[in-house]
Amino acid sequence: MYKRALVAVVVAALAYLYYTSSSYPPLSTTLKDYYLKFSQPSSESSNSTLNATTMALASISRSVAKKVYAVETPEGAGALVRRSIGSMNLRNVTPFLMLDHFHIAKGAGFPDHPHRGQATITYMLEGSSAHEDSAGHAGVIKAGGVQWMCAGRGIIHAEMPIHTPGQPEPRGLQLWVDLPKKFKMVEPSYQELDPQGIPEAFPHGTDGGVKVRVISGASHGVESPVRPLGGCWYFHMVFSKKSTIFQEIPAGWTAFIYVFKGSVVVGEDTLAHETFNTLVLSNEAGETGVKLTAVEDGTEFMLAAAEPLDQTIFQYGPFVMTNREEIQKTILDYQMGKNGFEKAHTWKSKIGGL
């Protein structure tokens, strides 16, 4: 009895440490190690029961709680986007504010505009996009690369496509994530990874037909170097052939999937969810992750998860704060050129002119 009680205490403590740790150890491995270390089963039957209990703890899948189709609409200066999160059908899935699947034709783009109070994550699927900001930062995001920008107290930037003869037009995903109130007025910062810098996990081995690009967070023993404020996991799942994997997600975190190629079955359901659908996942006690089954060769989707924020979202365009007074102050700061917007009326990007 004493050993069983000790095992229960250790597992509970481990679960807390796992969900608050920045190192993100694989849950199933960690639980099993601690079970084996402290329980020391005395018989083969006890060992089998222990292993079954460990596997059950590690593979209780979430399901689809809501499904929204992303309709293509104009945005920016001539760009086309499929917006799901942030649309009237799916508002503010805390801490996620907006998800755009964008396509930028020649002559279109996102010229100079401000931000405050959120992080924007731009992940290129095809082609390349240039960016430049009022703090002197500039560069190019190539296909398979990511830019994680924390706008903090304020920044002005431009995002414009690069069109190269014989190359695909720029397409990608941009996700806005709300910042915790305590981080909304930090100095702007960037974390960027070239395509070669994003680590990859192979749940079934390098020839197993499944690749997980770990943009942030941890998947199947592989961890990203990106450390976003507030915490956020972001994966690009690539199934070259039909297969099933289980992705662990911290308990209590908001999670969703966006399908942009093929179709996927989530959890124990049999319904296949097709391209351009956003799937908000359930968030019930005991769920440890999500079972994902590609039902077509060449299926690709993104999976994001983050801790929900217990704060009001008050958004005015590219400004995201927690109340009306903060938004009014942000607008005044921008008009007066202060508190992060000192270059609002003097800076002009080199790439933003159409």
Side-chain angles (χ1 to χ4, degrees):
M1 291 295 291
Y2 173 77
K3 285 185 177 180
R4 289 182 180 177
L6 180 58
V7 169
V9 171
V10 169
V11 171
L14 178 61
Y16 173 79
L17 288 173
Y18 174 77
Y19 294 127
T20 56
S21 168
S22 61
S23 59
Y24 311 129
L27 179 59
S28 55
T29 301
T30 308
L31 283 177
K32 188 173 182 180
D33 289 347
Y34 273 77
Y35 259 114
L36 293 176
K37 181 176 179 180
F38 287 99
S39 63
Q40 298 177 350
S42 57
S43 68
E44 184 176 345
S45 61
S46 297
N47 206 1
S48 299
T49 301
L50 179 61
N51 289 336
T53 302
T54 305
M55 290 302 294
L57 283 170
S59 55
I60 301 175
S61 181
R62 298 190 183 205
S63 58
V64 176
K66 187 170 184 177
K67 177 177 178 178
V68 173
Y69 183 78
V71 178
E72 193 168 58
T73 56
E75 181 73 11
L80 294 174
V81 304
R82 292 185 179 273
R83 180 170 298 169
S84 51
I85 298 176
S87 70
M88 292 302 294
N89 293 325
L90 195 58
R91 298 288 293 176
N92 301 334
V93 184
T94 179
F96 302 112
L97 301 166
M98 188 190 79
L99 175 67
D100 280 355
H101 181 186
F102 60 82
H103 169 209
I104 312 175
K106 192 170 184 178
F110 304 95
D112 303 6
H113 60 279
H115 285 280
R116 175 183 277 184
Q118 80 275 64
T120 65
I121 303 103
T122 304
Y123 180 66
M124 294 302 296
L125 299 172
E126 298 180 43
S128 301
S129 178
H131 62 91
E132 182 185 352
D133 71 36
S134 55
H137 191 274
V140 173
I141 314 170
K142 301 176 182 177
V146 66
Q147 180 199 78
W148 201 296
M149 184 186 81
C150 172
R153 65 198 295 258
I155 200 163
I156 307 161
H157 76 155
E159 303 159 287
M160 302 300 292
I162 297 175
H163 290 276
T164 305
Q167 296 299 313
E169 291 187 335
R171 299 175 189 267
L173 302 171
Q174 186 168 94
L175 177 65
W176 288 17
V177 183
D178 197 13
L179 288 175
K181 184 178 176 67
K182 63 182 178 180
F183 295 137
K184 283 189 176 289
M185 294 301 287
V186 299
E187 291 297 323
S189 62
Y190 287 91
Q191 296 179 78
E192 296 177 317
L193 293 176
D194 287 331
Q196 299 79 10
I198 295 179
E200 297 177 342
F202 299 89
H204 301 317
T206 53
D207 297 325
V210 183
K211 176 174 66 177
V212 181
R213 308 202 74 228
V214 187
I215 299 165
S216 68
S219 178
H220 298 86
V222 175
E223 188 173 341
S224 170
V226 173
R227 288 292 181 273
L229 291 176
C232 178
W233 289 11
Y234 192 170
F235 310 117
H236 175 188
M237 306 283 195
V238 182
F239 290 73
S240 59
K241 59 185 180 182
K242 300 173 185 177
S243 188
T244 298
I245 65 170
F246 188 88
Q247 173 61 50
E248 293 167 352
I249 300 172
W253 280 25
T254 302
F256 73 91
I257 292 165
Y258 176 70
V259 186
F260 50 89
K261 286 186 181 179
S263 55
V264 62
V265 170
V266 177
E268 303 304 327
D269 199 359
T270 58
L271 176 65
H273 303 282
E274 299 177 338
T275 305
F276 306 139
N277 278 293
T278 294
L279 315 173
V280 180
L281 302 182
S282 61
N283 191 0
E284 303 295 334
E287 295 176 337
T288 59
V290 60
K291 179 182 176 183
L292 303 163
T293 302
V295 294
E296 296 181 39
D297 294 348
T299 292
E300 297 187 35
F301 54 89
M302 62 86 73
L303 167 62
E307 186 173 6
L309 298 177
D310 185 18
Q311 62 188 37
T312 303
I313 297 172
F314 209 101
Q315 183 173 351
Y316 182 80
F319 305 140
V320 185
M321 304 302 285
T322 62
N323 57 56
R324 182 182 299 275
E325 291 71 24
E326 290 174 345
I327 287 292
Q328 290 173 336
K329 185 178 185 306
T330 298
I331 295 172
L332 183 61
D333 285 345
Y334 183 69
Q335 292 173 339
M336 299 295 291
K338 61 180 184 179
N339 294 328
F341 296 120
E342 283 76 8
K343 296 183 179 181
H345 307 298
T346 59
W347 180 81
K348 185 176 182 180
S349 70
K350 297 176 182 178
I351 65 171
L354 295 176

